[in-house]
Amino acid sequence: SQGNHLYEQEKYKEAAADYTRALAKDTNNPTGMFNLGNSYYQQHQYDSSRKIMEATAKMTTDKKGKAAANYNIGNSYMAQRKWDDAIEAYKETLRKNPQDPDAKYNLSYAEEMRKKDQQNQKNKDNKKNQDKDKKDKKDQDKDKQQQDKKNQDKDKKDKDQQQDQKDQKDQQDKEKQEQQGQPSKLSKQQAEQLLNALQQEEKKLQDKM
């Protein structure tokens, strides 16, 4: 009773302490277990609350008591957005108490939220795949640009080498032509010898005449 009074005042931690003391004296008290589970739930200790409610559902023989415990189990799963588990808990509630309007509403809500989360996850996966495709395409474009630049650099290098070879060949041809077209130069001694030879030939020709 003291725990209930504290619970109504929203002093859930103190209420839980009183419920625990009461259960230490009467371990087979499903009402005390149920209230302790609720006090844990109000403190957002959902795992602890669920554990107590599961024990309560096993302990009580009353169908409505089992239904209420399963309903609170569903609520603890809902608070953690574990929609599949919440749905199963609410279904179990309705098996014990088919007319429970809150369980019907929460079951419908959990199914809708599961559907919404699945759609959001699908959208996230699609966006992730699209982002990956964009990144892959960007990387491919970058690789292609790098390869194109390498090819351009190689072509330029090859053209420069070809031009250098052509310029070198043109220079060699030019030098060769200059050498072929340029008259040979005679030394002074060779010129005098050639002149003397021509004079002697001319003298011989005159003597003969």
Side-chain angles (χ1 to χ4, degrees):
S1 297
Q2 185 175 337
N4 291 342
H5 181 68
L6 291 168
Y7 188 93
E8 290 173 358
Q9 294 179 337
E10 299 183 358
K11 296 179 180 180
Y12 303 117
K13 186 175 180 180
E14 293 82 353
D18 277 339
Y19 293 139
T20 301
R21 281 193 288 270
L23 288 168
K25 297 178 180 180
D26 182 8
T27 57
N28 296 318
N29 186 336
T31 302
M33 292 282 287
F34 186 86
N35 290 349
L36 177 61
N38 279 342
S39 65
Y40 281 138
Y41 179 87
Q42 295 296 342
Q43 296 176 73
H44 307 292
Q45 297 180 26
Y46 302 118
D47 291 338
S48 297
S49 173
R50 186 161 53 246
K51 185 177 179 180
I52 295 296
M53 288 299 174
E54 288 171 351
T56 304
K58 292 178 181 179
M59 180 184 299
T60 184
T61 57
D62 178 56
K63 280 191 174 183
K64 287 189 176 181
K66 287 181 179 292
N70 279 287
Y71 176 81
N72 284 358
I73 290 172
N75 288 348
S76 69
Y77 280 126
M78 276 256 279
Q80 295 175 319
R81 302 182 68 87
K82 296 180 179 180
W83 309 122
D84 290 336
D85 294 324
I87 288 168
E88 289 304 314
Y90 293 134
K91 285 181 178 179
E92 185 62 26
T93 301
L94 291 171
R95 291 187 190 103
K96 300 294 188 296
N97 184 13
Q99 304 306 319
D100 188 333
D102 292 333
K104 290 180 180 179
Y105 176 83
N106 283 8
L107 173 61
S108 177
Y109 179 83
E111 289 176 337
E112 187 64 28
M113 290 302 297
R114 178 176 66 178
K115 184 178 179 181
K116 185 177 180 180
D117 277 4
Q118 288 174 344
Q119 185 61 43
N120 289 339
Q121 185 61 44
K122 185 178 179 181
N123 292 338
K124 286 181 181 179
D125 291 341
N126 289 338
K127 187 177 184 304
K128 185 177 180 180
N129 291 334
Q130 289 175 355
D131 292 342
K132 184 177 181 300
D133 291 340
K134 287 181 181 179
K135 184 178 183 301
D136 291 343
K137 187 177 184 304
K138 186 177 180 180
D139 292 341
Q140 290 175 356
D141 291 342
K142 185 177 179 180
D143 292 341
K144 185 177 183 301
Q145 290 175 354
Q146 291 177 345
Q147 187 61 42
D148 290 343
K149 188 176 185 305
K150 287 181 180 179
N151 292 336
Q152 290 175 356
D153 293 341
K154 185 177 181 300
D155 291 342
K156 185 176 183 301
K157 184 177 180 181
D158 292 342
K159 287 181 180 179
D160 291 342
Q161 289 178 346
Q162 292 175 357
Q163 186 63 42
D164 290 342
Q165 291 175 354
K166 184 177 182 301
D167 292 343
Q168 186 176 2
K169 186 175 181 302
D170 291 344
Q171 183 63 28
Q172 291 175 349
D173 291 343
K174 182 178 179 182
E175 292 176 355
K176 185 176 180 181
Q177 290 175 357
E178 289 177 352
Q179 290 175 357
Q180 290 177 349
Q182 183 178 1
S184 58
K185 294 183 179 179
L186 300 177
S187 64
K188 183 177 179 181
Q189 184 179 0
Q190 288 175 334
E192 290 177 352
Q193 290 177 351
L194 181 60
L195 181 60
N196 291 332
L198 288 175
Q199 289 176 350
Q200 289 178 359
E201 288 293 328
E202 184 179 357
K203 184 177 180 182
K204 287 180 182 180
L205 181 61
Q206 289 176 354
D207 292 342
K208 185 178 181 181
M209 290 177 64

